[in-house]
Every structure is written in C-alpha cells, then in structure tokens.
C-alpha cells in the first residue's frame, strides 16, 4: 500500500493554466500522491495549429504557471510532440497509473482525449477527465426535444438554470513533484512570432495573477457602465478577459461568481452584471455549437450560405489586414490588432462586416487572420463570431446586416479618440471629417497636412456600391428580398 501511495499521478495541463478552481488539480491532490504536472505542446494531434499570437501568450503563461508551482514545491514538466506518445513516455519513466486532466471540448481534441483515455486504460492507466473550461459540459443544455439550441437567447436562459453554484476551490498551499523526469527548456521552443516578430507592443500580463488583476480592474472600472461602455472603443469599457479565459488562467465560473458578488454587494447595478454574464454565455454558446456541429469551422452553419459568390482579391485582402482600406474605423481596428494582439469587440464586428460584405471576401480568410494575430484566438468563439457577422451562423441575427463603417465611427467614436490613436496620420483632421476624410474639402485636408493617396489611402471600395453588391449576393443566396439595417 505504501508503494502505491508513493507512486505519482500525472496532472496534464491543457487550457487550464491555473491553480485556483482547477477540478483536475483538486482531484489529483485528493489522491494524496506526488504530482507530475506536465504541459505537452502538441502541434498536430489536437486540431488546428496555434496561431503566432497565441504562442506568444502561451510562452508567458507557462512561465507564470511554472513559477506558481515552484513556489509550492512543484515544477512544470514541458514536453513537445504527440500527446499520447509523450504521456506514454512519462508513464514509462515514472510508473504512473493515473492521469488527471480537464477535458477539451473542441471536436478534434475531444475525440483525441477519448482515444488516449481508452488506449491508456487498456494498459492499466486510468484517465480522469473534468470540466475546467466551461460553465457546463456540452450536452448539459438541450432543448425539450433533446437537441442542441440554435438560438442564443433560449440557450442562455436554459444555461443559467443549470450552472452549478459552487464555491471557489483555492490553490493548494503546497504540492510535491518527484525529482526525475526531465522537461524541455521553454526558451528552446521559440514561441515568439518571427518573420516578423510584431509582438513588441503586446501589453499584457499572461498568467493566473494577471487574470485575477484584470478581473479586479474590470469590476472596479468598466463593469459599472458595461452595457453602454463596451461599445465605445476609445475607452476601457470591456473586461479584456478573453485571452485569460481561453488559456484557462481563470475559470468562467469564477468570473461569473465575482461579477454577481459585486452586484449583490451593491458595487455595480445588477443589470450591468447580467449583461456581462450574458457575454460569458455567448462564449459558452459558441463552444457548445462547435462541439455539436463540428463542420462550422469549414462550412456555413446555414448551408445556403455556402453558395455565396465570394471574390478572390489578394490586393484588397492585404489592404484590410494592414489597415489601409481608407475607412478610418476599419483601419484603426486592424492596426490595433497588429500592434497589441487584440481588437475592441465593436470594431471586430465592423472590420469583419467590411471584409465580408464590402469586399465579398470569404469569412474564412478573416477568421484565419484573426486566428493568427489575436492573443484570445479561441476556435469556437472565432468561428461563431465570423459566421454571425456573415449571417451564416446559428443565431437568428439578420443575415443582411451591413455595418456602415462611417456611421459606426461617428456613433461610437464621435470625437475620434480611438481613430486618432491608431491612425495618427489623421490626427489633425477635425471631427466632422475624421471618419470620412475623402469628403473633406481640399483646404481642410491641406490644413491637416493630409494628401489622400499619399498620407492616407482613398477608400478601396465605395460604401454605396459595396452595399448594393452585397445585397444582391445575399438575395441570390437566400432567394428572398433583403434590405440592410441602418447601422
């Protein structure tokens, strides 16, 4: 018995890079055995390869996790390669007979987890999987007919009725990791972007402590006016928790718990807390949709939209990526993305609509660019949001919605705080002309030292012409008369 008790167990970290509220860690500690914490960088066996910005974040988050483990007597073992092969190698080196992990629910990773668990079971190694990344497991929220929800509002209502109310599980004060099995040197992994390395302006604090600080700052700041403030890109009105949630540096249950507590304590109005919880619900909706309908990463959820007459236009696609479309709000968003690895949520919708509706370029091109350049690139959320803007997604949003980038700028960035920050060549242009500089009189442009076509590009497409073309394409696909909303 003593020999079995001294045999270590593996704690396989995935998208759960934290010690608080980590069910797999809690279960591993409950065994009373030494723990081998391991992270495996599997670049081929668990679905899509990570984008460059995600790898940058992972580098920093793993360092933070290792430091947290080291401060408690443990250490993080790093391995790179096929997940199953690396787990087997670690098992052979240590005699482990139990593996603890928090499951991933993306289709490829979910299937891979099951295959690994079955293979190890056949060799006498038990795998214990938990839900550490979602409010509830996919399949826990279904319609009365036992089918997945396809519309968000009823999904959210049902979700909030089944989320378990559990207190937070604190990080362990100490844990024991045996000497022996070696890990890789994280520096040797070379996770920073290259050719080029554009991460110099990334101003983030990855890791569990950074996530806790971000949540605290949001509750003390932006949450009080979240419903309106989240739409204003020139102010700090959003939580910026998405990359922390993606890597599991904080649990969604912990976020919901803290936000609701702030409302109960009277620190924020309950309507603001509820609005933010609904956004966590949207993240959950996306994850459940991807689990139930895995084809959405490649095809339209609403199959008729697979017939969209997409255009191949490398020059305009490149102009969009580099923030050179001639529409200031669009360009500001794309430049913010390149500089920081993040983009304000309102602006994400505008730039996505511009690519899809104004340029008629396939949403998958934009989704792939976001996947590579966003520090919060989450497969389920990324795909769902792009399909939502394209009108081909699951939710009942009007598919004919076409965002007017000028009107959006005038409404949500009226004094140009956001545009002037990210498109500094327009800084001296008066507010009246800022979001449509091509309409400014020549004298105004000259006074601001702007020559269109030299200092700042002219629009690469006319909004009116693009709107007409998009509506015709949508009518052809849907077979119905469509009129875009005034947005």
């Amino acid at each position: 018995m003593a020999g079995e008790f001294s045999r270590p167990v593996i704690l396989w970290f995935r998208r759960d890079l934290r010690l608080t509220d980590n069910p797999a860690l809690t279960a591993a500690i409950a065994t009373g055995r030494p723990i081998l914490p391991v992270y495996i960088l599997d670049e081929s066996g668990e679905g899509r390869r990570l984008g460059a910005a995600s790898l940058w974040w992972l580098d920093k988050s793993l360092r933070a996790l290792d430091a947290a483990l080291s401060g408690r007597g443990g250490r993080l073992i790093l391995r790179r390669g096929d997940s199953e092969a690396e787990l087997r190698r670690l098992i052979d080196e240590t005699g482990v007979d139990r593996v603890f992990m928090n499951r991933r629910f993306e289709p490829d990773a979910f299937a891979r987890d099951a295959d690994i668990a079955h293979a190890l079971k056949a060799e006498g190694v038990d795998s214990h999987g938990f839900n550490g990344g979602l409010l509830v497991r996919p399949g826990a929220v279904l319609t009365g007919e036992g089918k997945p929800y396809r519309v968000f509002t009823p999904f959210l209502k049902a979700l909030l009725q089944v989320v378990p109310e559990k207190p937070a599980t604190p990080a362990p004060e100490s844990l024991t990791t045996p000497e022996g099995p070696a890990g890789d040197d994280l520096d040797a992994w070379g996770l920073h972007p290259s050719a080029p390395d554009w991460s110099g302006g990334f101003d983030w604090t990855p890791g569990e402590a950074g996530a806790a600080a971000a949540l605290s700052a949001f509750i003390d700041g932006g949450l009080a006016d979240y419903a309106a403030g989240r739409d204003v890109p020139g102010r700090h009105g959003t939580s910026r928790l998405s990359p922390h949630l993606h890597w599991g540096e904080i649990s969604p249950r912990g976020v919901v718990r803290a936000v609701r507590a702030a409302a109960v304590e009277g620190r924020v109005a309950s309507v603001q807390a509820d609005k933010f919880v609904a956004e966590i619900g949207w993240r959950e909706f996306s994850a459940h949709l991807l689990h139930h309908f895995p084809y959405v990463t490649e095809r339209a959820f609403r199959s008729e939209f697979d017939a969209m007459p997409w255009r191949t236009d490398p020059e305009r696609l490149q102009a969009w990526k580099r923030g050179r479309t001639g529409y200031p709000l669009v360009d500001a968003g794309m430049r913010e993305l390149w500089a920081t690895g993040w983009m304000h949520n309102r602006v994400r919708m505008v730039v996505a609509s511009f690519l899809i509706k104004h340029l008629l370029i396939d949403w998958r091109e934009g989704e792939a660019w976001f996947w590579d350049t966003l520090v919060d690139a989450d497969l389920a959320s990324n795909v769902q949001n792009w399909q939502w803007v394209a009108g081909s997604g699951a939710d009942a949003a009007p598919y004919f919605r076409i965002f007017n980038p000028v009107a959006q700028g005038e409404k949500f960035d009226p004094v140009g705080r956001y545009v002037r920050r990210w498109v500094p060549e327009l800084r001296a242009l008066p507010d009246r002309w800022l979001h449509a500089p091509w309409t400014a009189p020549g004298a105004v442009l000259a006074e601001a030292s702007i020559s269109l076509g030299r200092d700042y590009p002219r629009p690469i497409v006319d909004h009116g012409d693009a709107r007409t073309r998009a509506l015709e394409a949508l009518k052809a696909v849907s077979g119905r008369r469509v009129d875009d909303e005034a947005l």
Side-chain angles (χ1 to χ4, degrees):
M1 190 72 174
E4 179 180 327
F5 232 37
S6 64
R7 181 184 295 184
V9 299
I10 289 176
L11 174 61
W12 182 14
F13 280 102
R14 337 277 299 288
R15 300 281 170 80
D16 55 344
L17 305 182
R18 66 182 186 274
L19 303 184
T20 303
D21 253 354
N22 188 321
L25 171 60
T26 300
I29 290 173
T31 66
R33 299 191 191 183
I35 295 175
L36 293 169
V38 59
Y39 181 86
I40 302 170
L41 181 59
D42 187 340
E43 297 169 286
S44 59
E46 296 186 351
R48 190 185 296 189
R49 294 171 66 93
L50 292 172
S54 292
L55 289 172
W56 176 92
W57 190 284
L58 176 62
D59 177 275
K60 307 295 180 294
S61 191
L62 290 176
R63 294 179 194 276
L65 179 61
D66 184 49
L69 289 167
S70 298
R72 292 166 170 80
R75 63 189 173 91
L76 183 62
I77 301 167
L78 300 176
R79 298 289 175 93
R80 188 173 195 166
D82 177 80
S83 295
E84 183 176 351
E86 292 303 320
L87 285 172
R88 287 179 181 275
R89 187 157 69 93
L90 196 56
I91 289 167
D92 290 342
E93 293 171 4
T94 61
V96 161
D97 63 353
R98 299 178 74 178
V99 176
F100 294 83
M101 62 178 175
N102 289 307
R103 297 292 303 272
R104 288 178 53 187
F105 297 103
E106 306 97 324
D108 289 341
F110 186 74
R112 180 69 166 152
D113 284 359
D115 290 343
I116 290 174
H118 290 143
L120 295 181
K121 180 67 174 178
E123 298 179 11
V125 179
D126 290 331
S127 297
H128 305 270
F130 302 86
N131 170 28
L134 296 174
L135 294 174
V136 298
R137 287 173 175 262
V141 182
L142 300 172
T143 67
E145 292 76 35
K147 297 179 181 180
Y149 281 94
R150 293 168 175 259
V151 178
F152 174 62
T153 300
F155 170 86
L156 178 64
K157 182 178 179 180
L159 170 69
L160 296 180
Q161 292 175 349
V162 299
V163 175
E165 294 187 7
K166 295 182 179 180
T169 304
E173 294 184 0
S174 64
L175 52 83
T176 302
T177 299
E179 298 291 335
D184 294 350
D185 181 354
L186 184 55
D187 288 336
W189 282 6
L191 299 184
H192 270 235
S194 60
D197 180 356
W198 76 91
S199 65
F202 287 12
D203 184 20
W204 298 89
T205 306
E208 186 171 5
L215 175 60
S216 179
F218 174 59
I219 290 175
D220 291 341
L223 181 58
D225 187 35
Y226 179 73
R230 72 193 189 103
D231 277 327
V232 183
R235 54 185 287 197
H236 297 297
T238 61
S239 73
R240 294 172 65 89
L241 284 169
S242 49
H244 297 291
L245 282 164
H246 172 68
W247 284 108
E249 297 168 349
I250 194 168
S251 74
R253 289 181 189 172
V255 171
V256 170
R257 188 186 302 119
V259 167
R260 285 179 167 167
V264 169
E265 295 163 5
R267 297 165 61 191
V268 298
S270 58
V271 66
Q272 304 295 339
D274 290 344
K275 184 63 176 178
F276 182 72
V277 170
E279 292 302 312
I280 298 295
W282 179 262
R283 173 182 183 270
E284 192 88 1
F285 183 50
S286 300
H288 287 229
L289 282 173
L290 177 60
H291 181 82
H292 292 300
F293 305 100
Y295 65 85
V296 297
T297 60
E298 302 296 336
R299 308 197 312 274
F301 183 86
R302 297 166 62 182
S303 59
E304 65 268 27
F305 282 83
D306 283 326
M308 275 290 290
W310 302 118
R311 298 167 62 90
T312 300
D313 195 337
E315 184 176 343
R316 286 189 172 88
L317 175 60
Q318 186 67 8
W320 177 81
K321 288 180 179 180
R322 298 305 181 193
R324 302 287 296 170
T325 68
Y327 285 89
L329 185 63
V330 174
D331 293 341
M334 299 308 294
R335 295 183 192 186
E336 180 188 26
L337 172 61
W338 185 252
T340 69
W342 190 82
M343 189 193 302
H344 187 276
N345 179 66
R346 164 60 56 173
V347 186
R348 292 189 196 201
M349 292 189 289
V350 175
V351 304
S353 178
F354 187 87
L355 183 75
I356 295 167
K357 305 291 176 60
H358 283 72
L359 302 182
L360 277 186
I361 291 177
D362 195 327
W363 62 267
R364 281 157 283 224
E365 292 280 5
E367 192 270 330
W369 183 247
F370 273 26
W371 177 260
D372 196 43
T373 55
L374 279 172
V375 292
D376 65 356
D378 177 88
L379 184 61
S381 295
N382 203 28
V383 168
Q384 162 74 347
N385 289 334
W386 274 94
Q387 289 227 36
W388 182 86
V389 174
S392 60
D395 200 62
Y399 60 91
F400 46 81
R401 174 181 284 126
I402 300 174
F403 287 97
N404 181 331
V406 175
Q408 289 284 301
E410 291 172 345
K411 181 176 182 179
F412 296 109
D413 190 35
V415 298
R417 183 179 302 168
Y418 181 75
V419 163
R420 287 190 171 91
R421 177 180 180 185
W422 296 110
V423 190
E425 57 266 43
L426 299 180
R427 190 170 291 157
L429 202 60
D431 294 348
R432 178 182 177 183
W433 314 105
L434 183 63
H435 293 288
W438 62 91
T439 64
V444 172
L445 291 171
E447 178 69 20
S449 300
I450 297 171
S451 174
L452 293 180
R454 183 193 68 188
D455 303 306
Y456 184 71
R458 297 181 183 277
I460 60 174
V461 64
D462 176 77
H463 171 69
D465 293 344
R467 172 186 173 277
T468 299
R469 183 175 64 182
L471 291 175
E472 289 175 350
L474 290 166
K475 180 181 178 181
V477 167
S478 67
R480 289 175 284 175
R481 180 178 180 272
V482 294
D483 296 293
D484 70 323
E485 295 182 338
L487 294 170

